[in-house]
Amino acid sequence: MQKLTGYSVIIMLIFIQTVFSQQQTGTYINASIGLGITTPNEDVDVFGNGIYIQAEYVWAPKRWFSLRPYAGYINTSTDEDGLSGNLVGARASTKAFFVGGKTKVAIPIPWVAPYVELGLGASIGSFETVTPLINEKESGVTLHIPFSLGLALGRNNNFDVGLSYYFYPSLEQFNGAFAIGVSFPINR
């Protein structure tokens, strides 16, 4: 059997302490707002920007895991005046409401908890992607796959900063946001 060194004991104590420092279990409402973006799947320098708003109902049965039904709105458009060369007239825009559900897994670190989210949802609105190789204009309901990376901050991890993306398998674009959020406990 291997002998424990002082460093091993310190690392074990830090790990044990961090397991219990994650956000609290229970139910929350999380509200996020940020800078929304839309970009084509094609590797060109065209993007739309605008506003992103999202609200989530959070059910956290464990400190490191939560389920999150969500609803939100994104409105982005391209500033065509800044385009040049073969990109004149190119656009990437989204005006849509979206709903869905996702799961969140966090790494338990005190005051700063990195997380990843993945789920499935639907968007209703208008989507436009125009580049030298793509000409997609669609309106209606479409499937999206949400994916997020971020940091839950604060003593109770009730603030967050993250990158949220929504991939559209049937369209030639994805959208997302750099957003900040805050969680409010309910039924405590």
Side-chain angles (χ1 to χ4, degrees):
M1 191 163 131
Q2 189 176 3
K3 183 177 178 183
L4 290 177
T5 65
Y7 293 117
S8 299
V9 171
I10 290 171
I11 290 171
M12 282 180 23
L13 289 174
I14 290 171
F15 178 75
I16 290 169
Q17 190 273 335
T18 61
V19 167
F20 297 103
S21 66
Q22 194 42 244
Q23 72 183 33
Q24 302 297 314
T25 59
T27 55
Y28 299 85
I29 297 294
N30 180 278
S32 300
I33 189 167
L35 174 64
I37 61 156
T38 299
T39 186
N41 290 346
E42 182 184 350
D43 188 19
V44 294
D45 194 20
V46 174
F47 66 93
N49 59 26
I51 186 90
Y52 165 89
I53 301 168
Q54 178 180 279
E56 301 172 323
Y57 174 81
V58 180
W59 177 62
K62 301 287 184 187
R63 293 176 179 214
W64 56 271
F65 175 80
S66 62
L67 298 174
R68 299 167 165 263
Y70 61 89
Y73 175 73
I74 187 164
N75 186 344
T76 63
S77 61
T78 301
D79 179 13
E80 296 181 42
D81 294 337
L83 300 175
S84 63
N86 67 340
L87 296 177
V88 171
R91 294 182 293 291
S93 66
T94 303
K95 292 180 182 144
F97 290 96
F98 53 88
V99 296
K102 54 190 172 180
T103 59
K104 177 179 180 178
V105 177
I107 299 173
I109 298 174
W111 290 87
V112 178
Y115 66 83
V116 63
E117 298 175 336
L118 185 63
L120 188 62
S123 298
I124 184 168
S126 62
F127 309 88
E128 183 175 26
T129 308
V130 177
T131 69
L133 299 176
I134 301 169
N135 190 1
E136 290 278 336
K137 296 178 184 178
E138 292 198 28
S139 294
V141 178
T142 187
L143 175 77
H144 69 252
I145 300 168
F147 174 76
S148 302
L149 294 171
L151 298 172
L153 305 171
R155 180 177 175 189
N156 294 317
N157 299 123
N158 57 332
F159 298 97
D160 66 80
V161 176
L163 298 171
S164 296
Y165 296 101
Y166 299 86
F167 297 95
Y168 296 90
S170 64
L171 303 173
E172 294 290 328
Q173 69 170 238
F174 66 91
N175 61 45
F178 172 74
I180 57 172
V182 63
S183 293
F184 304 96
I186 53 178
N187 297 332
R188 278 205 131 164

